[in-house]
């Protein structure tokens, strides 16, 4: 049983998934495009809800995040900053960055209890955020939108030291200065996302775990801002009972009491003992995500990830993400496969409230199918379902896309005034979610061109 009730018109779906324009006689109307874009919308600072998992699970997640690198290398001891932490902005950065950084610092102080503040305009800082161009970063980190480096305060210092022991996290004895490098020519949202993930790693754990549904410490990139789970991990990381240089065994001994004190709601809850993520699945996912690979190779890797997840018996966010990847990568080659895989992803994500935002990622292409099929009521139903989790997750880019589709549906239903209000609001979010005005206008035009309106559920 599908999670929504509308019929996919095969002609409209074929036009959508192949990128072909519908024939003139199929088009009932195209909505007017807004030539003057409204001001950028921004998100307020908001506190994340506390994690709901057991402290036993939190302890295992803390240890796996803190004593292992993403490449599998083991870390022998805990490293962190001791004393007040300062953070500075250097280089070419957009006007949105200081605002989003101030919000993040406020949350780290309030929710993680970390003594962190902006550094003065002169002198050094413990953490330096430096903006560099996409072209420069991609020459050295081809697949990264941003990254964090130890023992550096600038791009030139990182470049000079990157092959030395000082640049290796496994050689680090304590954290004194860390650099965060961000593309300054990306969208405000992408820069904000990088601030949250990279500053969290500059402060604390260096690993990412695909099994975590509610964390930025996950390479699926579904969660955009630090969660209650992340803040509890960081609060424990900087708890006075721990200190720089402690061994894995020493931290493991202290951690249960720390978590029971910081998170009494998680005390006594049974551990779920979620299975570890196999290296073979991670390898296939990385192949599927790799932009340097051909579309065919990426799609085949995603299919193998689905097979591995199925064989492992997973029914969690990793299984859902496998279907989502395979579905997204199949849209241009096989519409039936794409839709089937996206519906499976939607069903698995729907099983947990922790993956509501993840489910909304799937909801965007599903809503576009409804729009292309001329089902405006279904579009409104779906956007109303998927928008709230995206708003809570502060994902302006996907919010804008869903809202533009809702505006198209309202136009089809003969409600132009409502449509224009939704469209203008969506464009305000698009200005935060996309890199520049031209990209915003392109998305507006692409979505306006979607609906051939071959059939309608309006009467």
């Amino acid at each position: 049983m599908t999670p929504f009730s509308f019929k996919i018109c095969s002609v409209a779906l074929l036009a959508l998934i192949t990128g072909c324009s519908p024939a003139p006689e199929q088009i009932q109307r195209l909505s007017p495009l807004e030539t003057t874009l409204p001001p950028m919308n921004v998100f307020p600072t908001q506190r994340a809800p506390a994690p709901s998992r057991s402290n036993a699970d939190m302890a295992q997640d803390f240890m796996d995040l803190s004593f292992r690198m993403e490449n599998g290398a083991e870390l022998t001891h805990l490293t962190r900053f001791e004393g007040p932490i300062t953070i500075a902005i250097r280089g070419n950065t957009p006007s949105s960055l200081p605002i989003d950084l101030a919000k993040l610092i406020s949350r780290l102080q309030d929710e993680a209890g970390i003594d962190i503040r902006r550094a003065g305009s002169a002198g050094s800082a413990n953490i330096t955020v430096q903006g560099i161009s996409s072209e420069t970063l991609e020459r050295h980190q081809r697949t990264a939108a941003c990254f964090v480096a130890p023992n550096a305060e600038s791009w030139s210092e990182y470049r000079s030291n990157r092959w030395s022991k000082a640049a290796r996290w496994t050689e680090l004895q304590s954290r004194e200065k860390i650099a965060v490098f961000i593309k300054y020519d990306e969208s405000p949202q992408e820069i904000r996302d990088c601030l949250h993930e990279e500053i969290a790693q500059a402060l604390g754990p260096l690993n990412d775990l695909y099994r975590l549904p509610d964390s930025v410490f996950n390479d699926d990139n579904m969660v955009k801002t630090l969660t209650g789970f992340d803040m509890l991990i960081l609060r424990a990381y900087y708890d006075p009972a721990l200190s720089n240089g402690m061994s894995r065994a020493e931290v493991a001994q202290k951690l249960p009491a720390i978590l029971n004190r910081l998170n009494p709601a998680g005390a006594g809850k049974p551990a779920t003992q979620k299975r570890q993520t196999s290296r073979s699945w991670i390898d296939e996912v990385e192949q599927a995500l790799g932009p340097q690979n051909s579309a065919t190779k990426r799609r085949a890797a995603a299919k193998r990830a689905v097979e591995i997840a199925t064989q492992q018996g997973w029914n969690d966010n990793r299984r859902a993400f496998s279907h989502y990847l395979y579905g997204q990568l199949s849209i241009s080659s096989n519409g039936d496969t794409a839709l089937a895989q996206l519906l499976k992803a939607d069903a698995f994500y729907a099983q947990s409230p922790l993956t509501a935002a993840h489910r909304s990622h799937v909801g965007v292409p599903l809503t576009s199918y409804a729009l292309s099929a001329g089902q405006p009521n279904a579009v409104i139903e779906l956007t109303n379902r998927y928008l709230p989790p995206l708003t809570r997750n502060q994902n302006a880019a996907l919010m804008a896309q869903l809202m533009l589709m809702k505006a198209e549906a309202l136009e089809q239903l003969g409600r132009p005034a409502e449509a224009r209000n939704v469209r203008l609001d969506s464009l305000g979010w698009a200005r935060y979610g996309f890199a520049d005005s031209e990209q915003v206008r392109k998305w507006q035009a692409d979505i306006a061109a979607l609906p051939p309106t071959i059939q309608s559920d309006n009467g």
Side-chain angles (χ1 to χ4, degrees):
M1 182 176 178
T2 61
F4 44 84
S5 56
F6 67 90
K7 297 178 181 179
I8 295 293
C9 173
S10 58
V11 176
L13 180 57
L14 181 64
L16 171 70
I17 65 177
T18 60
C20 298
S21 300
E25 63 269 21
Q26 296 174 338
I27 301 177
Q28 185 180 64
R29 50 152 300 281
L30 291 180
S31 68
L33 301 183
E34 302 293 337
T35 56
T36 301
L37 297 179
M40 179 189 297
N41 287 341
V42 295
F43 294 100
T45 304
Q46 58 185 36
R47 186 183 181 96
S52 58
R53 58 170 58 69
S54 73
N55 284 344
D57 284 335
M58 288 292 310
Q60 184 61 58
D61 294 337
F62 182 101
M63 298 302 293
D64 288 346
L65 285 168
S66 303
F67 286 94
R68 188 176 296 124
M69 301 284 292
E70 287 187 64
N71 61 10
E74 298 287 337
L75 296 169
T76 60
H77 56 276
L78 187 80
T79 62
R80 71 180 193 184
F81 293 103
E82 296 292 350
I85 303 166
T86 55
I87 184 166
I89 299 173
R90 303 282 187 262
N92 191 355
T93 55
S95 59
S96 64
L97 192 153
I99 298 171
D100 281 328
L101 179 59
K103 294 176 182 177
L104 174 57
I105 289 173
S106 175
R107 288 194 58 204
L108 289 169
Q109 292 169 340
D110 178 43
E111 297 174 55
I114 295 176
D115 186 358
I116 184 170
R117 59 181 172 80
R118 277 286 300 272
S121 57
S124 61
N126 299 115
I127 300 174
T128 303
V129 178
Q130 181 171 351
I132 58 177
S133 70
S134 296
E135 181 182 3
T136 299
L137 191 145
E138 288 167 4
R139 280 203 303 265
H140 302 281
Q141 296 280 340
R142 184 168 55 174
T143 61
C146 44
F147 71 99
V148 60
N151 293 320
E153 285 186 287
S154 66
W155 181 250
S156 59
E157 188 175 11
Y158 161 73
R159 295 273 289 126
S160 298
N161 296 337
R162 64 181 176 143
W163 304 120
S164 69
K165 290 176 63 174
R168 299 176 196 161
W169 290 102
T170 52
E171 301 288 341
L172 203 63
Q173 299 303 310
S174 64
R175 302 196 192 186
E176 305 294 337
K177 57 181 183 178
I178 306 288
V180 173
F181 300 112
I182 293 177
K183 298 175 182 177
Y184 63 71
D185 47 5
E186 280 286 358
S187 70
Q189 177 174 306
E190 183 72 27
I191 292 169
R192 188 272 324 268
D193 295 352
C194 281
L195 285 175
H196 278 245
E197 181 172 2
E198 303 306 332
I199 289 176
Q201 292 199 315
L203 291 168
L206 298 166
N207 197 9
D208 283 321
L209 297 172
Y210 277 105
R211 72 171 185 259
L212 301 177
D214 55 339
S215 175
V216 300
F217 296 110
N218 187 328
D219 276 336
D220 66 9
N221 292 322
M222 293 289 194
V223 175
K224 298 300 182 182
T225 59
L226 289 171
T227 66
F229 170 89
D230 300 326
M231 290 299 186
L232 180 55
I233 288 288
L234 289 172
R235 184 177 282 274
Y237 207 91
Y238 281 84
D239 190 87
L242 301 182
S243 60
N244 191 65
M246 290 181 73
S247 69
R248 181 185 181 97
E250 290 172 325
V251 172
Q253 183 182 25
K254 298 278 188 181
L255 198 54
I258 293 171
L259 289 170
N260 287 342
R261 172 165 41 82
L262 296 178
N263 186 42
K269 287 185 177 180
T272 59
Q273 297 180 336
K274 187 179 285 188
R275 294 183 187 179
Q276 297 288 333
T277 306
S278 65
R279 186 69 242 179
S280 60
W281 182 85
I282 293 174
D283 290 341
E284 298 299 350
V285 167
E286 289 178 350
Q287 288 290 315
L289 291 172
Q292 73 278 9
N293 297 326
S294 68
T296 300
K297 186 174 183 179
R298 294 177 68 185
R299 190 163 51 249
K303 183 179 181 181
R304 289 192 295 270
V306 168
E307 293 167 353
I308 293 170
T310 304
Q311 292 164 3
Q312 292 288 322
W314 297 338
N315 293 305
D316 58 13
N317 58 297
R318 294 169 294 182
R319 174 73 178 273
F321 187 58
S322 305
H323 289 295
Y324 172 71
L325 274 180
Y326 189 23
Q328 285 284 75
L329 293 169
S330 298
I331 288 176
S332 63
S333 61
N334 189 318
D336 290 340
T337 296
L339 184 58
Q341 292 298 315
L342 290 169
L343 290 173
K344 286 182 179 179
D346 183 84
F348 280 109
Y349 279 138
Q351 294 178 14
S352 171
L354 297 181
T355 50
H358 308 59
R359 189 185 182 197
S360 293
H361 280 72
V362 184
V364 174
L366 292 179
T367 304
S368 73
Y369 286 160
L371 182 61
S372 72
Q375 300 289 332
N377 287 322
V379 171
I380 293 173
E381 176 188 345
L382 291 171
T383 54
N384 290 342
R385 174 188 301 171
Y386 293 123
L387 267 172
L390 291 176
T391 304
R392 291 191 294 271
N393 193 228
Q394 300 194 355
N395 191 330
L398 294 190
M399 287 170 59
Q401 292 177 55
L402 280 177
M403 293 169 77
L404 279 172
M405 287 189 276
K406 183 176 183 178
E408 291 298 325
L410 290 168
E411 290 278 6
Q412 287 190 16
L413 292 170
R415 295 152 64 180
E418 292 177 71
R420 188 167 191 270
N421 287 336
V422 172
R423 186 179 302 109
L424 287 173
D425 197 19
S426 76
L427 294 176
W429 289 117
R431 295 196 68 176
Y432 186 82
F434 297 106
D436 55 43
S437 297
E438 288 307 309
Q439 194 177 14
V440 172
R441 290 189 173 92
K442 181 181 184 303
W443 272 107
Q444 185 188 5
D446 287 347
I447 291 175
L450 270 178
T453 320
I454 298 173
Q455 61 181 43
S456 176
D457 59 357
N458 183 28

